[in-house]
Amino acid sequence: MGNKLYTLISFTLFCCLGTARAQDTTLCNPNFGYSLSGSQAFFQAVDTHAQVRHYWNFGDTTAAGFNSNLSTVAHTYSHTGVYTVTHIIRDSLGGSCFDSTAQSVSVMATPPCTVYLQAQRDTVDHHIYDFYASYAIVGGVHDSITWFINDSVVGTGSSLLHYYLAGGTYTVCARLITSLGCQTEQCQQIVVENPDSCGIAPSFSYVADSSYTRHLYFRPLPDSSGYSYLWDFGDGSYTSVREPEHYYAYGGSYTVTLFVTKHNGADSCQRHFASVVNVIGPVLQTCSISFTYTRNPSNPNEVTFNVVDSAGTDSLSWLIMKGTDSLHLVHLYGHTPTYTFPDSGCYLVLLFAGTPAGCQSFSQQAICTDSVLPAARNFISSYPNPAVSQANINLNLSQENAIHITIFNSMGNQVLTTVVAGNKGPNHITLPISNLPTGIYYVQMQYGNETSRSKIQKL
């Protein structure tokens, strides 16, 4: 009986607080001001004397009571609407101050949004990662997704291809901002392996033919059918033969590079070894070539090359490549060509020069970029990925057109071509890959003046 009576008295007092007016309004002032930031409101009482206590009713069935001196209070509304906020004030020392006032507050709540981050490591080069972002929003439209690595902006868009130059732990974040002001991000830690974590330390030996010294025989280490090999002989020639022989047109010193790939499903990796090979025989006229480059301050992806030591040369050609991916091979010509790199990552730029007397020389540099151009974002995910017998791609066309499809392996060799009729709107493309060896494959789809790309892991 005692508890019920106490509850009744407390309820009656609460009701009275909501309607009472000051008995002595000269001692306290219930007025208040407020400000809004999206769905969050900030209330500030006019009277901030220490002996005054405050009660706030936010008009959405929530309140803040007299348990502390809440002269300033913040409140977040979950829905858009107009709310009647009541502020009641009284003297905690037993004085006659007791008053209240109310205001209407219009709130525009920010709809919630969520972003999801996925990371996929390249199965051959463990320093390359593909990142993908998906999102869920309520109301509004998706405005932008920005990518951060260790708090530095590295790209925008729904996907990111990034090449890590060194091993270590990196924090990757995808940040979403919607047109209605919702901002959120998801982060993931990526552990990039050190260069020696592949377990391969390649090298090679060679021997020259005793009767023709420019005919060389090469042998790799490790030498096993369980690995795949790519040789760069330093004179513009390549081969994937495990134990190759090579004829050099001229004597001289050549930098030979061997790439060894260990295949083990998702744990496949690649390492390389380079060494100078001295070839005995007639030597061309000696010449040298080198180059520098400058970036456009307003567009860091735009690079202008400048040739150095080009006296006497009558031919200059440039080759730009990203790894061994033939989809990224670009040829340039001239002394000061300009090129805009389409996406983030590291590219190898090679300059080849020749003189009328037959001297040939080349120079190379690695150039890395951090931003992704809109044209490079035309990447379409395939499914399932990895795949065993077939891979599927959904391609949306703005008009009816033939779709020319070419599939390349990780060495840049063409393994499959086909043409399908493309309809305006959504198109479902099925690629038969059951006869392809296990590995990574790149898909290029050309239709009209547009090109889209995809990537497939074949199990």
Side-chain angles (χ1 to χ4, degrees):
M1 178 65 182
N3 290 336
K4 293 183 178 180
L5 180 60
Y6 176 77
T7 301
L8 179 61
I9 294 173
S10 299
F11 176 76
T12 303
L13 176 61
F14 173 80
C15 294
C16 293
L17 291 178
T19 57
R21 290 294 180 265
Q23 299 176 16
D24 186 353
T25 57
T26 62
L27 297 180
C28 58
N29 183 353
N31 292 325
F32 64 93
Y34 70 91
S35 61
L36 295 172
S37 177
S39 59
Q40 190 171 36
F42 302 89
F43 300 99
Q44 174 65 60
V46 172
D47 194 336
T48 58
H49 288 94
Q51 73 274 15
V52 173
R53 293 293 179 267
H54 306 264
Y55 173 86
W56 301 88
N57 187 319
F58 300 115
D60 61 349
T61 71
T62 62
F66 289 118
N67 57 334
S68 59
N69 188 8
L70 298 177
S71 60
T72 301
V73 66
H75 181 66
T76 300
Y77 290 90
S78 58
H79 299 92
T80 298
V82 178
Y83 299 89
T84 300
V85 179
T86 302
H87 177 219
I88 302 173
I89 188 171
R90 70 178 175 87
D91 187 347
S92 65
L93 300 181
S96 58
C97 168
F98 187 65
D99 203 354
S100 67
T101 187
Q103 293 189 54
S104 294
V105 177
S106 297
V107 176
M108 181 64 72
T110 301
C113 60
T114 307
V115 65
Y116 307 95
L117 167 63
Q118 292 180 306
Q120 183 176 358
R121 184 185 66 183
D122 192 283
T123 57
V124 174
D125 190 338
H126 290 185
H127 284 198
I128 298 178
Y129 274 79
D130 287 307
F131 299 99
Y132 305 93
S134 57
Y135 56 88
I137 61 177
V138 178
V141 297
H142 154 238
D143 273 353
S144 65
I145 293 177
T146 305
W147 296 91
F148 297 81
I149 296 182
N150 290 350
D151 297 325
S152 296
V153 177
V154 294
T156 58
S158 58
S159 62
L160 172 71
L161 176 65
H162 189 73
Y163 183 87
Y164 291 91
L165 296 178
T169 301
Y170 298 84
T171 301
V172 181
C173 298
R175 180 176 299 170
L176 168 69
I177 301 177
T178 70
S179 60
L180 296 182
C182 179
Q183 178 172 315
T184 186
E185 70 177 20
Q186 186 180 48
C187 299
Q188 184 174 337
Q189 281 198 330
I190 301 298
V191 178
V192 181
E193 297 178 344
N194 292 319
D196 60 353
S197 60
C198 185
I200 303 176
S203 62
F204 63 82
S205 60
Y206 68 94
V207 62
D209 191 309
S210 59
S211 59
Y212 189 81
T213 56
R214 283 175 283 156
H215 180 198
L216 271 61
Y217 300 87
F218 292 87
R219 183 175 181 180
L221 182 68
D223 188 356
S224 170
S225 60
Y227 301 97
S228 61
Y229 300 84
L230 175 65
W231 296 84
D232 175 359
F233 295 112
D235 62 349
S237 301
Y238 300 84
T239 185
S240 58
V241 175
R242 178 158 54 103
E243 297 180 355
E245 54 183 289
H246 184 64
Y247 292 86
Y248 285 93
Y250 302 96
S253 297
Y254 298 86
T255 299
V256 177
T257 305
L258 168 64
F259 298 86
V260 180
T261 301
K262 179 176 71 175
H263 298 283
N264 187 24
D267 291 327
S268 299
C269 58
Q270 183 184 84
R271 296 293 179 262
H272 71 277
F273 172 78
S275 181
V276 175
V277 171
N278 295 310
V279 179
I280 300 174
V283 180
L284 281 174
Q285 171 194 354
T286 60
C287 56
S288 63
I289 197 75
S290 62
F291 65 93
T292 61
Y293 65 91
T294 56
R295 297 181 187 268
N296 184 341
S298 60
N299 180 10
N301 279 33
E302 182 182 307
V303 174
T304 299
F305 302 98
N306 299 278
V307 178
V308 182
D309 299 330
S310 61
T313 59
D314 65 346
S315 65
L316 290 169
S317 61
W318 305 77
L319 178 64
I320 300 176
M321 59 189 301
K322 191 172 186 181
T324 58
D325 184 359
S326 64
L327 298 183
H328 292 89
L329 287 178
V330 176
H331 295 273
L332 303 175
Y333 303 93
H335 284 72
T336 57
T338 297
Y339 179 67
T340 301
F341 293 94
D343 58 5
S344 61
C346 292
Y347 292 77
L348 181 63
V349 180
L350 300 100
L351 167 62
F352 300 91
T355 69
C359 178
Q360 295 180 339
S361 180
F362 83 98
S363 178
Q364 65 181 35
Q365 293 188 54
I367 298 179
C368 298
T369 61
D370 292 328
S371 56
V372 181
L373 299 183
R377 298 175 195 148
N378 204 15
F379 179 87
I380 302 175
S381 298
S382 64
Y383 64 94
N385 200 358
V388 176
S389 59
Q390 67 180 36
N392 302 287
I393 297 175
N394 293 327
L395 179 64
N396 194 55
L397 299 186
S398 59
Q399 61 183 9
E400 182 177 325
N401 223 322
I403 304 173
H404 298 264
I405 303 172
T406 306
I407 300 180
F408 301 85
N409 61 19
S410 60
M411 306 301 294
N413 299 319
Q414 180 178 304
V415 297
L416 178 66
T417 60
T418 185
V419 180
V420 299
N423 300 314
K424 181 178 180 180
N427 290 266
H428 178 80
I429 301 172
T430 299
L431 301 176
I433 61 173
S434 58
N435 294 329
L436 297 179
T438 300
I440 297 296
Y441 294 89
Y442 301 90
V443 182
Q444 178 175 281
M445 295 166 287
Q446 293 181 316
Y447 40 97
N449 296 322
E450 296 187 58
T451 301
S452 294
R453 295 181 173 86
S454 188
K455 182 178 179 181
I456 301 172
Q457 179 182 348
K458 167 65 166 58
L459 295 179

